[in-house]
Amino acid sequence: MADTGDSKKEEADYKRLHSFPLIRHTDMPEEMRVEAMELCVTACEKYATNNESAAKMIKETMDKKYGSSWHVVIGEGFGFEITHEVKNLLYMFFGGSLAVCVWRCS
């Protein structure tokens, strides 16, 4: 049987290797993309065990900075089909399998 200490070490190594943000798709302008990506990373790290609070933080910050009608979904293993305003979509992964989708529609 595997030692539980070894499995925890492997999990920690996996999380460290996959702790960078990976953008799957975006059509945001460069400045907005960088700010949104950094905001998503900050929120996911701050609320590592509560995706709902992280999504709320991202939504409220984007609403204040870029106007209302922003939507955020954070989780693992979900699919989506959305309608969004052009140049207002970010779909990224963080921490391996945690997906973040941020978009604006009005």
Side-chain angles (χ1 to χ4, degrees):
M1 283 178 50
D3 185 12
T4 57
D6 289 340
S7 64
K8 287 184 180 179
K9 183 182 181 298
E10 289 175 8
E11 183 178 334
D13 289 342
Y14 175 79
K15 285 186 177 180
R16 187 171 6 94
L17 285 173
H18 294 82
S19 64
F20 62 92
L22 173 66
I23 295 180
R24 285 290 292 154
H25 179 76
T26 186
D27 62 358
M28 288 180 171
E30 180 71 18
E31 183 180 322
M32 183 188 289
R33 179 189 59 79
V34 170
E35 288 184 30
M37 183 181 65
E38 289 174 356
L39 175 62
C40 291
V41 169
T42 302
C44 289
E45 288 176 343
K46 184 175 181 179
Y47 299 104
T49 59
N50 190 343
N51 292 343
E52 186 176 346
S53 295
K56 185 175 183 179
M57 176 185 164
I58 295 167
K59 182 208 177 343
E60 290 174 353
T61 305
M62 294 296 283
D63 281 347
K64 287 178 189 170
K65 184 145 186 139
Y66 298 106
S68 63
S69 301
W70 285 92
H71 305 277
V72 181
V73 175
I74 300 176
E76 295 180 18
F78 67 88
F80 62 92
E81 184 174 330
I82 59 171
T83 301
H84 67 92
E85 291 182 9
V86 177
K87 301 201 180 290
N88 286 291
L89 171 70
L90 172 69
Y91 178 49
M92 63 178 272
F93 286 93
F94 179 72
S97 61
L98 188 66
V100 181
C101 186
V102 181
W103 76 97
R104 182 180 187 184
C105 64
S106 52

